[in-house]
């Protein structure tokens, strides 16, 4: 029994060992092609679904190029000589509804005898291969599939009957490594495993209380289920584990930072913040005051603030953040404001200066006594400007430093960084937050703001280490925005759309026209897409996406616009060109701006009243909501025209209609969650963590996430460093770096 001997001498848990060492080099090399290297990785390669004998796979749904495993019965098989003198065997298999062709080629008929003897009409089995096309009739077919026949490849009859009753795991596989091989390898591993090999990240007490199977049992049930109930209970437990490990990491992070201690930045009477409040041209909304008080109290404490501010578009998050920053300046510290784009960083700097007026003119003639300075730091500044900015940040002369990713660079130093504000979007991951945090001697307070509301489960998954504040109202007197869906193919409506643009401009408004990409010849999703997070095309053959350059040219010449100046804005312009384009647009010199989604977040031109989005069916809900947030920011009513080709009842149609129905970002976030696929929801939002989510779906598993979070927080509360939960800690480490080598080093 080599397996047992191995078990005695092997160095650590079997999970960390190379598959090749345990199952032989051939199997090891083969599975490596699927990026499965360790036994642990193999066990965590979960079946995608299960097949059942007698319940045939739908052959009609095969798509070319996919690697498919189908369960079917042989209908007929013929062998013949080809024109070139070789031999060819054609087999037709059926699932009772549709048929599929299999084809085998050989030098001579004799070489096909093996298959001929096995693939007799009536036998059933699993057939795997890459779906190709039959050159003669254009139908899908499998060339040289691998197959396993029921009752033939399983030797003893009782076992065959037994097997026939069991769900058959179907793994994510490839042409070279079909699902049967994975199943075989997994089958060879299980007899070698003891519970000690499979440390369980879930505390035993929790398993008992929640009646969940332990890890080894769950994995066995998942890979070798006796029945559907076993699959269900295994998935439930593994799903909970995923949520729990992630939430434990978030809780641990939260608790670690809470223990780090921060410099208290209490508010000061008669300081710059008070002076600013006096200058404010409007009254703060109830929400702004409430959140403001929350932030103020936390900044005054010696625990680092770790807060997420979720806000409706246009709810006035900037001023809330600014007041928090000023409190820190009043207390002698500095604040950094991190924006996702240069356009936005520059706009913030302008807004802050404008709002602060003489309060931002420290050291200058006419500057107020209490004044500070607002400094901009971006990647594209000239060396001289940049050097000046770096000096102001490092000396502390700048109370507020606004910037892009450039702020994260190692050259940037602060005299006394007390608060980091990350504006708009979860595009800054945990690592970036850490980079900024490292620039302060003591942990700075942190405020992260989202561009639009995000669903609760997403917030818990992506920002689970932060406390949440919500700003759900927009300031009173904010203008109405009506939204219409315009059918792209209807010339009369399109004409009307451009006339509407003209009318709005004549009344003193401005119009954005958003396109999905920059150049007509750029491919979807290429860099020409410029930040548009496009939804996959749902329609049948569609016309190509409209592009900024082409649309701008057409509009400039269009009779409907009657010669109105038309500008462009996109990611390939230099920062100066972008600035220029936005400034011309803001002051009305160029009242029509054709752009990519670079205008998506935060751009604030109060006179803008029209937003036309072309190919709107290709944008996601929150991106459209965010785009629409660019209008109706002042007191002028706005109109948003979503130009699209969407079949009634299609997901695109549902998205567009939801947008037309409501401007409530929280409601739209819920719709979005229902419609979007997992990857899109977490997307770049997630750094590290959720990429390893296998079974958990933030779109469906809200309850699981919520309960796991409560359990995880309670474990971390009692054992902040997880000293008493080493297996949980190992699971977290694995989750965080995911690197096989590092895992091996540790075991
Ligand atoms: P967002 O929350 O989308 O980032 P902003 O902070 O850009 O919104 O604010 C949108 C606009 O509303 C800005 O022009 C801002 O000056 C204005 N604003 C903010 N708060 C108020 C308020 N309480 N009353 C009136 N206007 C406000
Ligand atoms: Mg904003």
């Amino acid at each position: 029994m080599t397996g047992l001997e191995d078990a005695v001498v092997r160095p650590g848990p079997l999970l960390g060992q190379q598959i090749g060492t345990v199952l032989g080099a051939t199997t090891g090399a083969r599975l490596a092609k699927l990026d499965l290297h360790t036994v642990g990785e193999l066990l965590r390669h979960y079946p995608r679904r299960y097949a059942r004998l007698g319940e045939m796979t739908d052959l009609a749904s095969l798509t070319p190029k996919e690697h498919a495993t189908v369960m079917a019965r042989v209908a007929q098989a013929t062998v013949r000589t080809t024109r070139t003198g070789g031999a060819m065997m054609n087999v037709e298999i059926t699932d009772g509804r549709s048929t599929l062709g299999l084809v085998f080629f050989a030098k001579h008929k004799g070489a096909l005898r093996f298959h001929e003897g096995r693939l007799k009409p009536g036998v059933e089995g699993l057939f795997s291969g890459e779906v190709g096309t039959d050159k003669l009739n254009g139908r899908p077919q499998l060339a040289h599939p691998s197959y396993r026949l029921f009752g033939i490849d399983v030797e003893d009859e009782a076992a065959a009957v037994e097997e026939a009753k069991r769900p058959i795991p179907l793994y994510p596989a490839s042409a070279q490594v079909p699902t049967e091989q994975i199943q075989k390898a997994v089958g060879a591993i299980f007899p070698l495993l003891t519970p000690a090999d499979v440390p369980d990240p879930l505390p035993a007490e929790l398993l008992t209380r929640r009646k969940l199977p332990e890890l080894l049992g769950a994995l066995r049930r998942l890979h070798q289920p006796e029945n559907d109930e076993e699959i269900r209970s295994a998935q439930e437990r593994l799903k909970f584990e995923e949520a729990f490990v992630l939430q434990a990491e978030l809780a641990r992070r939260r608790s670690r930072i809470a223990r780090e201690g921060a410099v208290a930045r209490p508010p000061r009477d008669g300081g710059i913040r008070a002076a600013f409040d006096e200058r404010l041209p409007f009254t703060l909304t109830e929400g702004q005051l409430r959140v403001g008080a929350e932030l103020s109290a936390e900044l005054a404490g010696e625990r680092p603030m770790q807060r997420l501010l979720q806000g409706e578009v246009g709810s006035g998050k900037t001023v809330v953040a600014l007041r928090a920053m000023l409190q820190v300046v009043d207390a002698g510290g500095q604040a950094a404001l991190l924006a996702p784009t240069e356009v936005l960083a520059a706009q913030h700097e302008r807004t802050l200066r404008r709002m602060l007026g003489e309060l931002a003119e420290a050291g200058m003639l006419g500057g107020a006594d209490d004044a500070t300075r607002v400094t901009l730091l971006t990647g594209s500044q000239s060396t001289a400007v940049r050097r000046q900015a770096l000096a102001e940040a490092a000396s502390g002369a700048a109370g507020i430093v606004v910037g892009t990713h450039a702020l994260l660079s190692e050259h940037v130093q602060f005299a006394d960084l007390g608060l980091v504000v990350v504006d708009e979007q979860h595009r800054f991951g945990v690592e970036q937050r850490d980079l900024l945090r490292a620039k302060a001697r003591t942990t700075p307070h942190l405020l992260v703001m989202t561009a639009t509301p995000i669903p609760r489960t997403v917030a818990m998954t992506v920002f689970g280490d932060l406390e949440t504040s919500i700003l759900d109202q927009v300031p009173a007197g904010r203008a109405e925005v009506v939204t219409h869906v315009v059918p792209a193919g209807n010339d009369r409506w399109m004409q009307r759309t451009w006339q509407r643009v003209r009318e709005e401009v004549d009344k003193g408004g401005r119009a954005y026209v958003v396109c999905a990409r920059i150049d007509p010849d750029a491919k979807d999703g290429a860099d020409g897409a410029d930040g548009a997070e496009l939804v996959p095309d749902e329609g049948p053959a569609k016309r190509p996406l409209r592009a900024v350059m082409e649309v701008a040219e057409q509009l400039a010449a269009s009779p409907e616009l009657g010669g109105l100046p038309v500008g462009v804005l996109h990611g390939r312009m230099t920062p100066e060109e972008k600035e220029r384009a936005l400034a011309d647009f803001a002051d009305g010199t160029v009242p029509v701006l054709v752009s990519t989604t670079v205008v998506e977040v935060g751009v604030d031109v109060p006179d803008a009243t029209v937003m036309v989005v072309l190919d709107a069916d290709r944008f996601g809900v929150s991106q459209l909501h965010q785009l629409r947030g660019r209008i109706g920011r002042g007191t002028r009513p706005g109109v948003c025209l979503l130009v699209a080709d969407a079949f009634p009842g299609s997901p695109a149609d549902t998205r567009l209609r939801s947008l037309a129905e409501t401007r409530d970002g929280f409601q739209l976030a819920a719709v979005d969650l229902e419609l979007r696929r997992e990857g899109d929801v977490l997307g770049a939002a997630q750094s590290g963590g959720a990429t390893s989510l296998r079974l958990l779906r933030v779109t469906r598993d809200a309850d699981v996430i919520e309960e796991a979070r409560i359990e995880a927080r309670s474990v971390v509360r009692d054992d902040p460093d997880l000293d008493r939960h080493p297996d949980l800690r190992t699971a977290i480490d694995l989750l965080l770096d995911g690197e096989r080598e590092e895992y091996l080093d540790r075991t």
Side-chain angles (χ1 to χ4, degrees):
M1 261 311 290
T2 53
L4 275 183
E5 279 152 25
D6 283 349
V8 177
V9 295
R10 67 176 180 251
L14 193 53
L15 236 53
Q17 291 199 31
Q18 294 292 314
I19 296 169
T21 318
V22 183
L23 297 180
T26 318
T27 306
R30 208 173 278 148
L31 292 174
K33 290 186 193 148
L34 288 179
D35 208 18
L36 301 174
H37 306 277
T38 63
V39 170
E41 285 168 356
L42 176 59
L43 290 177
R44 295 293 189 171
H45 189 65
Y46 298 159
R48 200 205 308 272
R49 50 201 168 89
Y50 298 85
R52 282 162 193 85
L53 196 61
E55 176 197 300
M56 302 241 175
T57 317
D58 188 2
L59 295 186
S61 64
L62 297 178
T63 48
K65 290 251 174 339
E66 85 170 328
H67 181 82
T69 297
V70 297
M71 178 156 29
R73 173 167 20 86
V74 174
Q76 55 171 332
T78 50
V79 174
R80 60 185 178 84
T81 311
T82 63
R83 237 172 280 146
T84 53
M88 173 181 186
M89 177 170 173
N90 284 98
V91 181
E92 189 170 83
I93 58 173
T94 175
D95 61 3
R97 285 170 297 230
S98 322
T99 59
L100 175 70
L102 312 180
V103 63
F104 298 87
F105 297 98
K107 288 226 178 68
H108 51 86
K109 282 187 174 178
L112 291 170
R113 216 153 278 152
F114 171 73
H115 294 303
E116 222 182 330
R118 284 159 52 82
L119 297 171
K120 300 264 194 229
V123 295
E124 292 179 331
L126 286 169
F127 302 85
S128 296
E130 190 180 295
V131 180
T133 313
D134 184 337
K135 285 203 199 69
L136 287 179
N137 55 22
R139 293 178 43 208
Q141 73 171 9
L142 303 180
H144 294 274
S146 61
Y147 60 90
R148 216 156 41 107
L149 301 176
F150 301 129
I152 295 175
D153 295 325
V154 183
E155 280 159 28
D156 100 55
E157 207 173 310
V161 172
E162 201 44 47
E163 177 172 338
K165 280 195 297 196
R166 286 192 200 135
I168 301 160
L170 298 178
Y171 292 91
S174 72
Q176 297 131 324
V177 196
T179 173
E180 298 81 43
Q181 282 185 10
I182 303 169
Q183 191 186 352
K184 233 172 99 188
V186 170
I189 288 292
F190 270 104
L192 308 178
L193 292 173
T194 66
D197 286 312
V198 190
D200 196 334
L202 294 182
E205 177 277 325
L206 191 152
L207 291 179
T208 323
R209 185 159 42 78
R210 295 195 156 258
K211 300 195 177 59
L212 294 172
E214 33 72 60
L215 181 53
L216 177 56
L219 288 172
R220 208 273 306 143
R221 289 178 204 200
L222 191 79
H223 288 289
Q224 304 180 323
E226 303 268 340
N227 51 48
D228 289 352
E229 171 52 24
E230 288 204 347
I231 301 174
R232 197 203 55 76
S233 73
Q235 286 180 336
E236 181 195 25
R237 126 105 225 184
L238 293 167
K239 219 187 246 187
F240 189 86
E241 177 191 322
E242 285 175 14
F244 180 82
V245 172
L246 184 61
Q247 292 298 330
E249 162 56 13
L250 293 168
R252 187 171 67 149
R253 192 183 156 79
R254 174 169 163 269
S255 127
R256 193 169 51 220
I257 292 169
R259 281 178 288 151
E260 273 169 13
V263 177
R265 313 281 181 177
R268 182 155 62 86
D269 284 340
I272 186 169
R273 150 108 161 247
F276 173 77
D277 281 353
E278 254 160 52
R279 293 179 48 114
L280 265 181
F282 44 69
T283 6
L284 295 170
T285 64
E286 219 174 280
Q288 286 172 320
L289 286 170
R290 175 176 39 79
V291 175
E294 242 165 29
L295 301 184
S296 175
E298 282 189 330
L299 291 172
E302 285 175 356
R303 253 166 161 250
M305 175 169 86
Q306 300 178 73
R307 198 161 271 284
L308 173 71
L309 174 54
Q310 282 218 53
E312 184 55 278
V313 189
S315 57
K317 293 181 290 281
T318 315
V319 69
V320 171
L322 180 54
R323 293 179 71 241
M325 294 192 278
L326 293 177
Q327 175 170 331
V328 171
V329 173
D330 269 337
Q334 290 170 290
L337 172 58
L338 209 54
T341 62
E342 298 218 348
V343 170
L344 207 53
Q347 178 190 284
H348 271 318
E349 184 224 20
R350 266 198 315 271
T351 309
L352 296 190
R353 282 194 192 197
R354 194 188 62 224
M355 292 182 96
L356 288 168
E358 58 186 23
L359 296 173
E361 294 175 356
M364 288 187 245
L365 206 60
D369 290 346
D370 259 323
T372 185
R373 264 204 240 169
V374 179
T375 296
L376 179 68
L377 220 160
T378 64
S380 62
Q381 285 168 327
S382 70
T383 321
V385 174
R386 189 173 158 77
R387 194 172 297 143
Q388 166 83 13
L390 285 172
E392 291 188 359
S395 69
I400 297 177
V401 182
V402 183
T404 53
H405 276 89
L407 272 186
L408 303 174
S409 116
E410 52 187 309
H411 306 295
V412 182
Q413 284 172 352
F414 293 87
D416 181 13
L417 183 59
L419 169 65
V420 172
V421 179
V422 178
D423 184 30
E424 305 286 16
Q425 272 317 13
H426 27 250
R427 287 175 199 166
F428 292 96
V430 163
E431 288 101 28
Q432 280 98 337
R433 284 193 238 151
D434 283 342
L435 277 177
L436 260 180
R437 185 174 255 121
K439 294 191 178 296
R441 262 167 293 140
T442 45
T443 308
H445 298 282
L446 171 71
L447 176 65
V448 178
M449 306 197 283
T450 62
T452 57
I454 56 174
R456 194 173 143 67
T457 42
V458 176
M460 279 192 302
T461 309
V462 182
F463 300 108
D465 54 336
L466 308 178
E467 307 303 319
T468 305
S469 296
I470 288 179
L471 212 51
D472 52 5
Q473 335 149 276
V474 293
R478 202 43 78 69
E480 275 304 301
V481 172
V482 292
T483 302
H484 296 294
V485 181
V486 179
N490 187 321
D491 292 342
R492 210 167 47 83
W493 281 62
M494 286 312 296
Q495 212 173 4
R496 183 70 199 107
T497 298
W498 303 126
Q499 280 164 0
R500 186 67 198 263
V501 165
R502 166 93 221 195
E503 288 160 18
E504 288 294 328
V505 171
D506 285 346
K507 285 190 283 179
R510 321 259 188 280
Y512 293 102
V513 179
V514 172
C515 302
R517 55 184 183 162
I518 304 174
D519 291 318
D521 45 356
K523 289 255 186 317
D524 291 16
D527 66 332
D530 214 9
E533 291 156 17
L534 297 183
V535 174
D537 202 344
E538 287 154 6
K542 297 238 323 185
R543 63 194 115 218
L545 291 175
R546 306 301 306 276
V548 169
M549 301 321 267
E550 157 209 41
V551 170
E553 207 170 292
Q554 283 166 8
L555 287 184
S558 86
E560 289 84 11
L561 291 196
L564 282 181
V566 175
V568 298
L569 181 68
H570 58 75
R572 271 194 235 129
M573 290 158 63
T574 66
E576 295 79 51
E577 288 169 340
K578 285 188 213 163
E579 283 282 302
R580 176 88 280 190
L582 266 180
D584 288 347
F585 179 63
D587 70 19
T589 318
V590 180
V592 179
L593 186 64
V594 185
S595 93
T596 56
T597 53
V598 289
V599 298
E600 176 192 357
V601 277
V603 170
D604 190 25
V605 176
D607 285 329
T609 53
V610 197
M611 163 69 55
V612 181
V613 183
L614 299 177
D615 295 303
D617 50 322
R618 297 293 305 279
F619 292 84
V621 173
S622 58
Q623 198 158 34
L624 288 174
H625 180 55
Q626 186 55 235
L627 284 168
R628 180 171 57 181
R630 299 311 106 217
I631 57 170
R633 296 176 78 79
T635 49
R636 294 164 181 275
V639 55
C640 174
L641 301 169
L642 304 173
V643 179
D645 262 328
F647 286 113
S650 65
D653 181 55
T654 312
R655 287 197 296 275
L656 297 173
R657 274 196 288 156
S658 320
L659 276 150
E661 268 161 32
T662 181
R663 270 174 91 197
D664 180 336
F666 288 89
Q667 209 171 315
L668 288 171
V671 172
D672 200 19
L673 191 59
E674 298 253 304
L675 290 173
R676 288 171 94 187
R677 290 170 320 165
E678 199 69 7
D680 305 331
V681 176
L682 292 177
Q686 187 57 25
S687 64
T691 48
S692 60
L693 295 186
R694 292 175 166 90
L695 296 167
L696 191 71
R697 295 289 171 264
V698 284
T699 45
R700 290 194 313 248
D701 298 320
D703 299 352
V704 181
I705 294 173
E706 205 136 347
E707 286 174 31
R709 167 145 129 150
I710 294 170
E711 296 282 8
R713 285 196 167 189
S714 125
V715 167
V716 170
R717 200 177 310 118
D718 297 339
D719 182 16
D721 295 315
L722 299 178
D723 293 327
R724 283 176 279 121
H725 297 84
D727 295 335
L728 174 56
R729 212 162 54 186
T730 309
I732 291 177
D733 291 343
L734 207 56
L735 174 86
L736 289 183
D737 46 48
E739 297 294 15
R740 176 177 53 97
E741 287 82 0
E742 291 187 37
Y743 177 59
L744 282 179
D745 286 344
R746 225 175 287 122
T747 49

